[in-house]
Amino acid sequence: MEDPAAWKKVFIDFSRLDENGLAGPQSGKVALNYEFCIPAEEQKWRTVQRIDPSAQVQKGSRGRSGCEKESWLVIGSTYQKNYKRVIYELASLPYVARIQETFFE
């Protein structure tokens, strides 16, 4: 059974995405990237990797999420199978406080 509290940590507009996790016009669809912080611990990073194969860690970067010094920034992509379930599973982790869309500038 899903815990609705997990979804309260997710700040992504899913209405913009199709069933493949892509947004935009038919001629130029793109995936959305999202970010979150995790404690700077290898075991927690391995757990995230098992849940989200698209995840990449950015050690030392604060990101828009404002990761603290003892945290790592993680970036994932909606372009993957069952992307909503992946995001839910990540949000269910007790050490993930917020998942939000990220923008590369």
Side-chain angles (χ1 to χ4, degrees), residues 34 45 48-49 51-57 74-80 86 90:
Y34 50 86
W45 167 233
V48 167
Q49 285 181 298
I51 295 169
D52 187 350
S54 79
Q56 297 181 19
V57 69
V74 178
I75 298 176
S77 172
T78 58
Y79 188 53
Q80 61 178 306
V86 168
L90 293 169

Side-chain angles (χ1 to χ4, degrees), residues 18-20 22-30:
D18 66 15
E19 66 279 355
N20 297 312
L22 301 174
Q26 197 61 32
S27 61
K29 290 191 174 274
V30 295

Side-chain angles (χ1 to χ4, degrees), residues 14-103:
F14 290 114
S15 70
R16 296 175 40 213
L17 300 171
D18 66 15
E19 66 279 355
N20 297 312
L22 301 174
Q26 197 61 32
S27 61
K29 290 191 174 274
V30 295
L32 295 184
N33 287 36
Y34 50 86
E35 67 178 55
F36 55 96
C37 304
I38 63 170
E41 298 174 25
E42 287 296 328
Q43 183 178 1
K44 288 183 170 51
W45 167 233
R46 284 193 297 274
T47 299
V48 167
Q49 285 181 298
R50 279 193 297 275
I51 295 169
D52 187 350
S54 79
Q56 297 181 19
V57 69
Q58 307 288 319
K59 297 176 182 178
S61 179
R62 296 194 66 209
R64 292 181 182 272
S65 296
C67 297
E68 300 292 326
K69 190 175 182 182
E70 313 79 31
S71 298
W72 293 337
L73 177 69
V74 178
I75 298 176
S77 172
T78 58
Y79 188 53
Q80 61 178 306
K81 186 176 178 179
N82 299 319
Y83 70 91
K84 282 186 186 176
R85 188 70 197 170
V86 168
I87 292 170
Y88 170 80
E89 293 293 331
L90 293 169
S92 296
L93 295 171
Y95 48 85
V96 172
R98 176 184 178 94
I99 299 174
Q100 65 186 51
E101 188 174 350
T102 191
F103 303 91

